[in-house]
């Protein structure tokens, strides 16, 4: 029986779900029957894509204030929530109250009060709530899970986890709605929920105590002078100053037709500006963060995130009673700039992702005694997030039939991942450690 899906929130991330439901790969199993957003322009553009690119009939569109009307008229089995993070709980809870299951993009929500509301609503309704943690599904992350389950490290005692965001992807969080903690929970919630969920999943444990420090040290107007910025602009569109800024959003290069139509041409409907200056006013999230987490199984993790690095990737080291497992991933190498931005230093180096991969193996185990062992894995497809997106979509739209690694994540997994980030935000604000079990009640 073909299940009926509706989607609310038609920003860029929704494209993965819209494509999957409309391009025929899940025909007979799942179908998109309506979309909903605050912005009619974005919905109209997606309908063009649905018809022209996927040869699928256009779907009804509803403005966000008519969300309940959409559910009443379209009678969906499941609501997919891909709105701005701070509104996930609003639509997810109402969907469950109206008898629908929910698929939520990560993070599930942004603070403990909204998290508690989701937990209480799920308990009251009994509806299925799935969080889309695609990083779990990537072959390389699954390999780490397999190795840890095998006991190769013995008892894991501590973890060092470093995540690097580059000056393209990392900077982009400071151009968009994510730059305000009210919207996104900051990078500790919006981005790091991926990473905290991986650790919970790898360890089969959950956070108990969180202590964190973090600051806005690179981006933001308060740091502009240190970065050599003396002329200010609020957004790139129409700004001659932005053309001289290596962090400016280059309309002629960065605005593909997709971004042009989805954001720039649709701006007249809601006023949302996709191209704000990373050195402009109003940024209140951190770009450098360090977190210490103690888990229920007594493992301690040191986690760091930096959002202005020359390349993007992560390094994770598991220290155990039998040895050390190291995991090194380069997701994107340094991208040379055509222009000369000498005031920001020489960013034009020849190394790229493939060169850096040759510098160190991705997965290596060093036993307590003896020679190190290098582990390989089968690369995933090019679906995104290390090959995780395609496998996630199969679980979402075909159902979970066999899941020995426990890839599928429910609302409890979603909550436990964001509670580390929420606890970190509280700790950064108060300077005190946070007991996670005091944040919400399951």
């Amino acid at each position: 029986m073909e299940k009926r899906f509706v989607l609310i929130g038609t920003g860029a991330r929704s494209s993965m779900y819209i494509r999957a439901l409309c391009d025929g790969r899940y025909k007979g199993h799942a179908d998109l029957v309506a979309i909903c957003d605050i912005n009619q322009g974005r919905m109209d553009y997606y309908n063009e894509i649905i018809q022209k690119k996927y040869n699928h009939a256009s779907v009804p569109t509803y403005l966000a204030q008519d969300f309940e009307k959409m559910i009443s008229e379209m009678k969906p089995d499941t609501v997919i929530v891909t709105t701005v993070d701070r509104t996930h709980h609003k639509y997810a809870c109402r969907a469950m109250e109206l008898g629908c299951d929910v698929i939520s993009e990560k993070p599930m929500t942004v603070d403990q009060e909204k998290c508690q509301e989701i937990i209480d609503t799920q308990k009251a309704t009994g509806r299925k709530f799935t969080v889309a943690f695609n990083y779990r599904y990537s072959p390389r992350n699954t390999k780490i899970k397999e190795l840890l389950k095998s006991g190769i490290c013995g008892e894991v005692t501590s973890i060092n986890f470093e995540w690097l965001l580059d000056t393209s992807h990392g900077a982009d969080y400071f151009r968009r709605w994510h730059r305000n903690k009210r919207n996104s929970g900051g990078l500790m919630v919006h981005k790091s929920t991926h990473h905290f969920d991986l650790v919970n999943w790898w360890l089969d444990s959950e956070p108990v105590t969180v202590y964190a420090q973090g600051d806005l040290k690179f981006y933001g107007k308060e740091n502009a002078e240190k970065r050599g910025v003396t002329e200010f602009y609020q957004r790139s569109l129409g700004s001659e100053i932005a053309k001289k800024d290596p962090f400016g959003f280059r309309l002629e290069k960065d605005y593909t037709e997709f971004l042009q139509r989805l954001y720039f041409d649709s701006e007249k409907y809601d006023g949302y500006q996709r191209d704000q200056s990373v050195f402009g006013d109003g940024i209140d999230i951190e770009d450098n963060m360090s977190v210490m987490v103690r888990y229920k199984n007594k493992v301690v993790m040191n986690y760091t995130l930096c959002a202005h690095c020359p390349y993007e990737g992560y390094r994770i080291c598991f220290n155990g009673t039998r040895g050390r497992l190291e995991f090194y991933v380069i997701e994107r190498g340094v991208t040379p700039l055509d222009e000369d931005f000498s005031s920001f230093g020489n960013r034009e180096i020849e190394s790229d992702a493939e060169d850096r991969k040759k510098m160190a193996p991705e997965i290596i185990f060093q036993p307590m005694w003896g020679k190190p062992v290098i582990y390989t894995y089968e690369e995933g497809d090019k679906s995104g997030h290390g090959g995780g997106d395609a496998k996630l979509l199969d679980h979402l739209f075909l159902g979970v039939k066999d899941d020995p690694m426990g890839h599928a994540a429910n609302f409890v997994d979603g909550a436990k991942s964001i509670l580390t980030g929420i606890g970190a935000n509280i700790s950064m604000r108060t300077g005190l450690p946070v007991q996670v079990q005091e944040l919400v009640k399951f």
Side-chain angles (χ1 to χ4, degrees), residues 90-107:
K90 172 183 176 182
Y91 298 110
C93 289
R94 192 64 188 124
M96 289 189 286
E97 290 168 347
L98 294 171
C100 301
D101 293 334
V102 172
I103 295 171
S104 174
E105 252 302 315
K106 63 81 198 165

Side-chain angles (χ1 to χ4, degrees), residues 74-133:
M74 304 311 298
K75 297 178 171 52
D77 299 293
T78 302
V79 176
I80 302 172
V81 180
T82 55
T83 58
V84 171
D85 297 346
R86 67 177 168 83
T87 62
H88 283 184
H89 75 294
K90 172 183 176 182
Y91 298 110
C93 289
R94 192 64 188 124
M96 289 189 286
E97 290 168 347
L98 294 171
C100 301
D101 293 334
V102 172
I103 295 171
S104 174
E105 252 302 315
K106 63 81 198 165
M108 193 170 82
T109 189
V110 298
D111 58 43
Q112 66 268 39
E113 291 83 11
K114 296 179 179 65
C115 183
Q116 188 68 63
E117 186 175 342
I118 291 173
I119 292 169
D120 293 343
T121 304
Q122 193 283 329
K123 280 185 177 180
T125 63
R127 303 309 306 183
K128 183 179 180 182
F129 193 112
T130 303
V131 181
F133 283 124

Side-chain angles (χ1 to χ4, degrees), residues 2 12 17 21 43 86 108 195 235 289 292 329 375:
E2 192 170 64
Y17 302 97
L21 288 168
M43 293 191 288
R86 67 177 168 83
M108 193 170 82
H195 319 150
R235 63 176 307 187
M289 292 138 279
M292 179 177 286
V329 175
Y375 288 91

Side-chain angles (χ1 to χ4, degrees), residues 41 43-54 58 257 261:
M43 293 191 288
D44 291 344
Y45 176 51
Y46 268 120
N47 255 333
E48 287 184 35
I49 294 175
I50 288 169
Q51 294 175 82
K52 295 177 182 178
K53 190 170 182 179
Y54 305 137
S58 63
E257 179 186 355
R261 294 289 306 279

Side-chain angles (χ1 to χ4, degrees), residues 132-416:
F133 283 124
N134 37 24
Y135 261 114
R136 286 188 177 199
Y137 290 82
S138 74
R140 60 194 180 210
N141 292 332
T142 298
K143 185 65 177 181
I144 295 298
K145 175 76 169 177
E146 291 173 355
L147 290 170
L148 291 173
K149 282 188 71 171
S150 76
I152 189 173
C153 286
E155 178 187 349
V156 176
T157 58
S158 63
I159 301 173
N160 290 308
F161 193 153
E162 179 185 31
W163 199 284
L164 310 178
L165 292 170
D166 66 17
T167 50
S168 173
H169 184 202
D172 215 29
Y173 290 111
F174 297 83
R175 298 187 186 105
R176 300 178 286 170
W177 55 264
H178 309 75
R179 72 206 316 247
N180 299 124
K181 191 166 283 193
R182 172 177 175 267
N183 288 333
S184 65
L187 292 176
M188 279 284 91
V189 173
H190 177 82
K191 184 63 181 174
S192 298
T193 185
H194 266 315
H195 319 150
F196 299 145
D197 174 68
L198 282 175
V199 176
N200 293 345
W201 177 60
W202 281 328
L203 295 179
D204 286 322
S205 193
E206 59 189 77
V208 173
T209 305
V210 177
Y211 176 75
Q213 291 286 318
D215 290 290
L216 183 63
K217 295 184 175 181
F218 188 88
Y219 302 110
K221 193 167 185 178
E222 57 265 52
N223 295 306
E225 187 176 348
K226 302 175 190 175
R227 308 283 83 82
V229 177
T230 56
E231 297 179 283
F232 293 95
Y233 62 96
Q234 191 57 32
R235 63 176 307 187
S236 291
L237 180 63
S239 171
E240 291 299 316
I241 301 172
K243 294 179 180 179
K244 299 180 287 183
D245 178 7
F247 292 93
F249 195 73
R250 316 200 109 51
L251 300 182
E252 69 279 6
K253 292 183 179 180
D254 297 336
Y255 259 132
T256 61
E257 179 186 355
F258 177 71
L259 290 179
Q260 176 83 29
R261 294 289 306 279
L262 200 63
Y263 294 112
F264 184 62
D265 292 353
S266 298
E267 189 176 308
K268 60 187 177 184
Y269 293 96
D270 60 8
Y272 173 60
Q273 296 179 355
R274 173 66 176 73
D275 60 335
Q276 298 177 80
S277 169
V278 301
F279 298 111
D281 289 321
I283 298 173
D284 62 7
I285 65 172
E286 300 83 10
D287 53 27
N288 282 260
M289 292 138 279
S290 295
V291 187
M292 179 177 286
V293 185
R294 183 176 177 85
Y295 290 86
K296 193 172 184 179
N297 61 1
K298 298 184 179 179
V299 174
V300 175
M301 176 178 70
N302 292 307
Y303 171 89
T304 62
L305 186 149
C306 179
H308 53 86
C309 295
Y311 64 94
E312 184 153 325
Y314 54 104
R315 183 192 297 272
I316 310 169
C317 301
F318 299 86
N319 297 308
T321 54
R322 294 181 181 174
R324 177 179 172 94
L325 183 65
E326 298 185 0
F327 183 28
Y328 184 37
V329 175
I330 295 295
E331 293 195 321
R332 181 166 44 227
V334 175
T335 302
L337 291 174
D338 296 330
E339 300 89 342
D340 175 24
F341 294 113
S342 56
S343 63
F344 281 79
N346 180 17
R347 300 173 71 236
E348 295 193 36
I349 67 175
E350 295 179 355
S351 178
D352 61 18
E354 292 304 315
D355 293 332
R356 286 186 177 275
K357 282 184 177 180
K358 296 173 185 176
M359 293 167 58
E362 281 196 313
I363 302 176
I364 183 170
F365 176 66
Q366 175 64 62
M368 199 73 77
W369 296 277
K371 295 181 179 180
V373 180
I374 296 173
Y375 288 91
T376 59
Y377 55 89
E378 291 187 11
E379 292 280 356
D381 59 28
K382 304 300 181 183
S383 62
H385 292 90
D389 284 354
K391 294 183 178 181
L392 166 69
L393 292 169
D394 284 348
H395 264 191
L396 295 178
F397 301 136
L398 296 178
V400 181
K401 298 177 177 63
D402 184 30
D403 190 20
M405 288 293 133
H407 286 106
N410 60 24
F411 78 100
V412 175
D413 300 314
K416 289 180 179 178

Side-chain angles (χ1 to χ4, degrees), residues 50-76:
I50 288 169
Q51 294 175 82
K52 295 177 182 178
K53 190 170 182 179
Y54 305 137
N55 197 29
H56 185 287
S58 63
V59 298
T61 63
Y62 293 81
L63 289 173
Q65 61 262 34
D66 296 322
F67 176 72
E68 293 187 20
K69 179 182 178 183
M70 174 182 68
I71 292 179
S72 175
E73 292 181 352
M74 304 311 298
K75 297 178 171 52

